[in-house]
Amino acid sequence: MSRQNNIINKPEPAPGTLGKLDLFGIGFGAVVGAGMVTLMGPAMAYTGYSVWLAMLLATVLALVMIFPYIILGGTLRVAGGQYSVVTNLTSPSAGGLVIYSNLIFTVQFSTFAMAFGLYMNMVLPTVSTKIFGITIIFLLVGLNLLGINAFAKINNLMSGILLVSMVAYDIYGLTQINQPIFDFSSSQMFTGGFKGFFLATFLLINCCHGYYGLIYFGKEAKSATKDMPFACLMCFPVVVFIYVTLAMVTSGTVPYENANGAATILPAALAILPKPVYYAFVVGGPIMAILTTLNSSIASFRFQPTQAAKDGWLPKAILKENRFGMPPIQLLFMLIMLLIPIVFNVSIVTINYISQIIMFGLGIATLIGIARIPKLYPEAWKKNSFHMSKTALWISVLLSATLYTINFVKAVIVLEPIYAVIAVVAMVVALVLGKVIADRGGLHIETSVWPPKSE
């Protein structure tokens, strides 16, 4: 006989301190990461000089993909991540799917360490990329065990440096283009035909939408339902400009064979920048983007497993903290998950595709919950920031679900069979485990979703 599950919404806290620009800084810092500086070459291998068009389409499709999340942020004040939102808006078993999928999804963060290794190896070629990657993982996990998260205290400053570095590089790089990237009759445009352009676009799409995660900072926002959509939509044109121009500069300033398939964007940077400026750019741009994203991923990882253990999804033993208030068991798990792909030489592109498979379950569960907002929170829905109808919401959710499905199918087809099977099985196990434990009952689930007061 199963015991009853209890879902309790935490009391709404007072308004936070984060304004529009603070939220923009968080969103921008989240979206500028390893994908931007490691996937240009592999995408170009699919489609040649048309990589900048693939990037443009990827940024637009990414916005379509996450637009329901932005609607959510403009309707409800949310905190606690996907777990809190999905459990509140759908069911406990869906919350379990999110918890277990997110544990598997941590493998995605290894791409940041791999990217760090690639860029450091370009600066210090005598040290292997693997050594750099493994070293930075141990260093950052060790720092977090000591409770040190200085990066978080200067997030806006770092995001500002990153923004200035990338914008300045892109603008200067546009003046140095000397390859026929705008010649649509060139044999090096659309080299893989429609299939190649499609694969390039959907390889790049996942590095274009990270800014949606800022909606989960509702607890810390001054005026969540008004500022969240504004900050997200402010990120979009900045992402379009930086990413598309970066694709143009990366592919258009060096000979085709140097850019095609390159693991980093540095061949172009080395060709157009004086040596001192080149090294400053490597640190202020790609390496800063990678380090800040990797550190914040490690530092914030503990929040969902901690809540899940308190609610009954995971063993309470993982809640044990050291004298610095950090959970060693959780960080050890994170360490292992980050090391596995590096030790076994799994490529960044492969990890990217594996993460797209895992994201399918997470995305669909969240979209189902978002579609139920008008039913569960009718008064809040009437006041949503977009003044949107239920029909418009459902169309947005359907378009997003379609893109998640295309992403999923494409990843399964493109991946080596062994990796595709592992990823699909992992997602199914997460789904079944969430269902079994929810049916067993006895969960005491806390969520953080609040209809807005008069803001």
Side-chain angles (χ1 to χ4, degrees):
M1 182 175 177
S2 65
R3 297 166 292 167
Q4 185 176 359
N5 296 315
N6 296 312
I7 301 179
I8 300 172
N9 205 33
K10 294 179 182 178
E12 182 178 6
T17 59
L18 299 180
K20 291 182 177 69
L21 290 179
D22 300 307
L23 294 168
F24 169 78
I26 291 170
F28 177 74
V31 74
V32 179
M36 177 190 74
V37 293
T38 56
L39 296 180
M40 296 292 187
M44 190 175 175
Y46 283 131
T47 196
Y49 282 141
S50 52
V51 66
W52 65 271
L53 284 170
M55 179 60 85
L56 177 60
L57 181 57
T59 58
V60 174
L61 292 180
L63 177 63
V64 174
M65 197 172 184
I66 65 168
F67 197 71
Y69 293 80
I70 301 175
I71 297 170
L72 166 66
T75 308
L76 300 170
R77 184 182 179 193
V78 299
Q82 276 180 303
Y83 167 64
S84 185
V85 170
V86 169
T87 305
N88 185 283
L89 297 176
T90 55
S91 68
S93 60
L97 166 67
V98 171
I99 284 298
Y100 300 125
S101 294
N102 269 315
L103 290 178
I104 303 165
F105 188 73
T106 54
V107 74
Q108 164 72 10
F109 303 140
S110 66
T111 63
F112 305 146
M114 295 179 192
F116 176 80
L118 287 171
Y119 278 87
M120 287 301 298
N121 177 256
M122 297 288 285
V123 178
L124 297 171
T126 55
V127 183
S128 73
T129 58
K130 182 179 286 191
I131 293 299
F132 275 125
I134 292 173
T135 299
I136 197 63
I137 289 171
F138 274 100
L139 177 62
L140 291 182
V141 170
L143 287 174
N144 278 277
L145 275 171
L146 297 175
I148 297 173
N149 189 20
F151 287 151
K153 298 177 183 177
I154 55 171
N155 180 76
N156 283 351
L157 174 61
M158 292 188 300
S159 293
I161 294 172
L162 184 58
L163 178 60
V164 170
S165 297
M166 296 309 301
V167 169
Y169 172 74
D170 285 351
I171 291 175
Y172 176 72
L174 288 175
T175 68
Q176 305 300 307
I177 290 175
N178 53 33
Q179 303 296 319
I181 64 171
F182 306 114
D183 181 3
F184 289 84
S185 64
S186 170
S187 60
Q188 293 170 332
M189 287 283 283
F190 300 103
T191 52
F194 174 80
K195 178 183 177 181
F197 187 75
F198 170 85
L199 290 174
T201 299
F202 279 86
L203 173 63
L204 295 169
I205 195 171
N206 267 20
C207 69
C208 301
H209 59 45
Y211 54 91
Y212 81 92
L214 67 89
I215 70 165
Y216 298 123
F217 285 78
K219 181 180 177 181
E220 291 81 14
K222 288 180 183 177
S223 182
T225 56
K226 292 179 181 175
D227 291 349
M228 292 297 183
F230 178 86
C232 282
L233 295 176
M234 190 165 59
C235 284
F236 173 68
V238 176
V239 169
V240 171
F241 174 78
I242 290 179
Y243 277 32
V244 174
T245 54
L246 183 63
M248 291 177 177
V249 173
T250 302
S251 61
T253 55
V254 291
Y256 182 83
E257 58 274 12
N258 291 1
N260 188 40
T264 72
I265 62 172
L266 293 188
L270 187 59
I272 65 176
L273 297 176
K275 270 294 177 66
V277 178
Y278 165 78
Y279 287 117
F281 168 71
V282 171
V283 175
I287 288 180
M288 181 168 288
I290 294 162
L291 275 182
T292 54
T293 307
L294 176 58
N295 185 72
S296 64
S297 299
I298 294 172
S300 62
F301 165 72
R302 67 188 187 276
F303 297 129
Q304 292 206 70
T306 294
Q307 187 62 54
K310 290 178 180 177
D311 291 353
W313 295 104
L314 296 170
K316 294 264 192 297
I318 72 168
L319 297 174
K320 185 177 180 180
E321 296 180 346
N322 63 15
R323 64 191 180 96
F324 300 102
M326 303 300 290
I329 295 176
Q330 294 183 42
L331 286 171
L332 177 61
F333 173 83
M334 180 70 151
L335 177 77
I336 293 170
M337 293 297 285
L338 292 177
L339 288 176
I340 287 173
I342 297 178
V343 171
F344 289 97
N345 298 312
V346 183
S347 73
I348 288 177
V349 173
T350 297
I351 293 296
N352 188 277
Y353 283 137
I354 290 172
S355 71
Q356 288 177 14
I357 292 175
I358 303 301
M359 278 184 64
F360 175 72
L362 292 169
I364 296 300
T366 307
L367 290 173
I368 291 171
I370 292 172
R372 300 185 71 217
I373 292 175
K375 178 181 178 180
L376 299 176
Y377 294 95
E379 292 305 313
W381 178 248
K382 290 176 184 176
K383 302 173 185 175
N384 75 80
S385 294
F386 295 95
H387 305 290
M388 183 176 284
S389 68
K390 286 189 286 187
T391 302
L393 170 67
W394 293 332
I395 291 173
S396 178
V397 166
L398 181 61
L399 289 173
S400 178
T402 301
L403 289 172
Y404 271 109
T405 303
I406 293 172
N407 232 4
F408 170 78
V409 173
K410 177 264 307 175
V412 170
I413 293 173
V414 171
L415 266 176
E416 292 179 41
I418 182 63
Y419 291 126
V421 169
I422 290 172
V424 171
V425 168
M427 186 181 67
V428 172
V429 167
L431 177 63
V432 172
L433 197 56
K435 175 73 171 139
V436 168
I437 293 181
D439 288 347
R440 185 187 65 185
L443 299 170
H444 183 82
I445 300 171
E446 293 183 346
T447 63
S448 305
V449 178
W450 309 284
K453 296 176 181 177
S454 55
E455 297 178 331

